């Protein structure tokens, strides 16, 4: 017991998942003396590449000692106010490898049970189903929301919740300069989709156990969203990337070939770039700079900068700072923290270029390779 208390001293209480009392047979002795009680403490172990695992420590002692220790641990856990006790959980059963239900039942649910978290589970039955659920889901009855799926499923949740929040606040969210009301309910993601870019930025990897353990700890941070407007209306919100021109063409045609599963992210771009002629665009970009000392009624200052670009392949807007990407060698956790601190995003304006250099850049970007952000001549980066 004393040895284990020394071990516990090296583990922060926020990294303890939960504990429970067991009865363990001890060979032939329990036949005569009964079984020995022991306490199982489940905790978070942090490894390389931001990967977390759930480990166990077994503590043997008298029943009174084990129960006293369990009570002490649970009392400390009860004081961790950020830890969720009830979650609204949304599962996309056909995203990625179509194994979300299996991942939840066999891996995620046992971890949440060990942490004494109750889940209200909803399974998506059709495209945009979760958007409809979000229109009436009562977020005040849960401590947070969890998406078991990919970036697309997460966007359905965010779009549904954010547009509803703006309506309830009486805001004209179809106006590009409208200062949107932020969401108060935290959202986590268990990455079972295809790309899982949001999870990589939040957790540093796409390991589902790591994601679940982050959610159990309950630590939160604020993240920016981007918006697309068309015809005077809000078309969509995004947490990662917004593209128009070549990038939107690539994603549009890629998503039409979902039967190829993950291979579509290689096959479709290769086909389009090698055998199809790319469109050229003229673009006018107006960047409104926020000024905390002189904001007008719609949340932006009158200061703005305009860029005009002719004959380009397209524009990509990414949350974050590409300078930080180079300095961090594409460490997504470092990039994400830096972007939150300086509240920034980067516009990439793609010039007409050779097809093979662009394909190389595209695949490097998809793989989060440092080489993608130091490519010369392919794009002009505008830091905002």
């Amino acid at each position: 017991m004393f040895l284990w208390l020394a071990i516990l001293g090296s583990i922060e209480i926020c990294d303890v998942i939960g504990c429970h009392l067991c009865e363990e047979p001890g060979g032939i002795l329990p036949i005569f003396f009964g079984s020995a009680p022991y306490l199982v403490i489940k905790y978070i172990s942090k490894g390389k590449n931001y990967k977390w695992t759930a480990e166990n420590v077994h503590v043997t002692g008298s029943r009174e000692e084990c129960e006293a220790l369990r009570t002490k641990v649970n009392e400390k856990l009860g004081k961790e106010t950020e830890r969720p006790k009830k979650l609204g959980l949304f599962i996309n059963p056909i995203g990625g490898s179509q194994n979300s239900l299996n991942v939840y039942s066999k891996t995620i649910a046992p971890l949440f049970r060990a942490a004494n978290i109750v889940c209200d589970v909803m399974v998506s039955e059709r495209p945009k189903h979760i958007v409809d659920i979000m229109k009436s889901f009562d977020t005040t009855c849960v401590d947070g929301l969890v998406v078991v799926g990919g970036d697309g499923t997460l966007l359905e949740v965010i779009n549904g919740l954010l547009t509803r929040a703006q309506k309830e606040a009486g805001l004209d969210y179809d106006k590009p300069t409208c200062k949107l009301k932020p969401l108060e309910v935290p959202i986590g993601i268990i990455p079972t989709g295809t790309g899982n870019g949001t999870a990589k930025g939040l957790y540093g990897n796409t390991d589902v156990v790591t994601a679940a353990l982050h959610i159990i700890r309950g630590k939160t941070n604020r993240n920016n969203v981007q918006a697309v407007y068309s015809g005077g209306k809000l078309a969509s919100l995004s947490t990662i990337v917004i593209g128009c021109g070549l990038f939107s063409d690539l994603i549009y045609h890629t998503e039409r070939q979902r039967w190829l599963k993950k291979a579509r992210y290689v096959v479709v771009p290769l086909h389009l770039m090698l055998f199809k002629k790319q469109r050229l665009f003229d673009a006018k970009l107006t960047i409104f700079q926020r000024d905390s000392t002189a904001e007008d009624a719609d949340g932006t200052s009158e200061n703005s900068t305009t860029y005009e670009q002719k004959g380009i392949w397209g524009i990509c807007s990414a949350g974050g700072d590409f300078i930080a990407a180079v300095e961090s060698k594409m460490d997504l956790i470092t990039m994400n923290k830096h972007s939150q601190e300086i509240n920034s995003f980067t516009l990439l304006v793609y010039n007409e270029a050779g097809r093979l250099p662009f394909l190389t850049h595209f695949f490097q970007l998809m793989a989060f390779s440092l080489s993608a952000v130091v490519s010369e001549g392919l794009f002009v980066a505008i830091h905002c």
Side-chain angles (χ1 to χ4, degrees):
M1 178 71 73
F2 290 109
L3 175 62
W4 185 86
L5 288 175
I7 295 174
L8 181 62
S10 65
I11 302 173
E12 293 185 52
I13 192 64
C14 61
D15 290 331
V16 175
I17 300 169
C19 61
H20 63 275
L21 194 62
C22 296
E23 297 285 343
E24 181 180 43
I28 195 172
L29 293 178
I31 297 176
F32 304 101
F33 301 104
S35 37
Y38 70 100
L39 191 69
V40 178
I41 310 290
K42 191 178 291 289
Y43 68 96
I44 298 170
S45 175
K46 300 172 184 178
K48 295 181 179 180
N49 301 318
Y50 301 108
K51 187 174 181 179
W52 293 3
T53 57
E55 306 295 341
N56 294 331
V57 171
H58 290 196
V59 186
T60 304
S62 68
R63 176 172 292 278
E64 291 75 16
E65 290 176 322
C66 290
E67 288 181 347
L69 184 56
R70 179 182 61 177
T71 301
K72 183 177 181 180
V73 171
N74 286 333
E75 284 178 353
K76 287 184 175 293
L77 288 176
K79 296 177 182 179
E80 293 291 303
T81 57
E82 292 182 314
R83 290 171 68 102
K85 295 179 176 59
K86 184 176 181 180
L87 295 169
L89 196 135
F90 305 90
I91 301 177
N92 177 7
I94 63 172
S97 301
Q98 302 184 359
N99 65 340
S100 297
L101 288 170
N102 188 54
V103 167
Y104 173 70
S105 62
K106 292 187 176 181
T107 304
I108 308 305
L111 287 173
F112 284 171
R113 283 197 296 270
N116 294 317
I117 296 175
V118 177
C119 292
D120 185 0
V121 180
M122 283 147 283
V123 181
S124 176
E125 299 174 356
R126 52 182 168 77
K128 305 297 182 184
H129 183 206
I130 291 179
V131 174
D132 294 335
I133 294 175
M134 287 296 99
K135 292 178 180 178
S136 58
F137 185 82
D138 183 7
T139 58
T140 61
C141 68
V142 295
D143 301 311
L145 305 177
V146 175
V147 173
V148 184
D151 296 323
T153 311
L154 177 64
L155 287 184
E156 287 193 8
V157 171
I158 290 176
N159 275 274
L161 282 179
L162 268 175
T163 53
R164 175 177 138 192
Q166 309 321 305
K167 289 179 181 177
E168 292 174 350
L171 297 174
D172 184 7
Y173 59 86
D174 287 321
K175 187 177 181 181
T177 53
C178 175
K179 188 174 183 179
L180 300 181
K181 178 185 178 183
L183 291 179
E184 297 302 325
V185 60
I187 303 174
I189 183 167
I190 306 292
T192 59
T194 305
N196 302 309
T198 302
K200 290 176 183 176
L202 290 175
Y203 314 129
N205 56 52
T206 58
D207 178 62
V208 295
V209 171
T210 299
L213 296 177
H214 274 276
I215 292 166
I216 288 171
R217 284 180 99 241
K219 305 296 182 181
T220 62
N221 53 55
R222 293 283 183 180
N223 289 273
N224 288 329
V225 296
Q226 302 177 75
V228 177
Y229 299 85
S230 178
K233 295 287 185 180
L234 173 67
S236 182
L237 297 158
S238 173
T239 58
I240 310 175
V241 174
I242 288 176
C244 62
L246 179 56
F247 263 91
S248 57
D249 288 348
L250 288 174
I251 296 301
Y252 172 77
H253 289 289
T254 297
E255 288 305 293
R256 294 187 67 185
Q257 307 300 328
R258 294 188 68 89
W259 63 276
L260 288 170
K261 300 187 183 300
K262 291 186 178 181
R264 70 186 187 271
Y265 288 99
V266 176
V267 174
V268 176
L270 280 173
H271 173 74
L272 289 176
M273 292 303 301
L274 295 179
F275 303 108
K276 299 291 184 181
K277 184 177 180 180
Q278 306 308 319
R279 299 181 292 168
L280 295 178
F281 298 86
D282 294 338
K284 181 178 180 180
L285 307 175
T286 302
I287 311 297
F288 294 91
Q289 303 292 345
R290 289 197 177 276
D291 185 350
S292 59
T293 61
E295 286 190 339
D296 58 18
D298 60 18
T300 62
S301 70
E302 295 181 355
N303 297 325
S304 63
T305 305
T306 300
Y307 301 87
E308 292 194 21
Q309 305 285 337
K310 295 185 179 295
I312 62 174
W313 267 355
I315 299 171
C316 178
S317 173
D321 179 2
F322 265 39
I323 296 175
V326 175
E327 293 176 346
S328 68
K329 298 182 179 180
M330 289 297 277
D331 183 312
L332 297 181
I333 294 292
T334 302
M335 288 168 57
N336 194 34
K337 288 181 179 178
H338 180 69
S339 298
Q340 292 168 19
E341 291 172 358
I342 63 176
N343 198 25
S344 69
F345 65 95
T346 303
L347 285 175
L348 302 180
V349 181
Y350 283 85
N351 303 308
E352 185 179 10
R355 299 187 179 202
L356 288 179
F358 178 82
L359 273 174
T360 301
H361 165 76
F362 178 78
F363 290 129
Q364 289 171 341
L365 200 61
M366 295 292 289
F368 294 93
S369 168
L370 178 62
S371 301
V373 300
V374 294
S375 303
E376 294 184 1
L378 286 177
F379 60 81
V380 175
I382 303 173
H383 181 62
C384 306

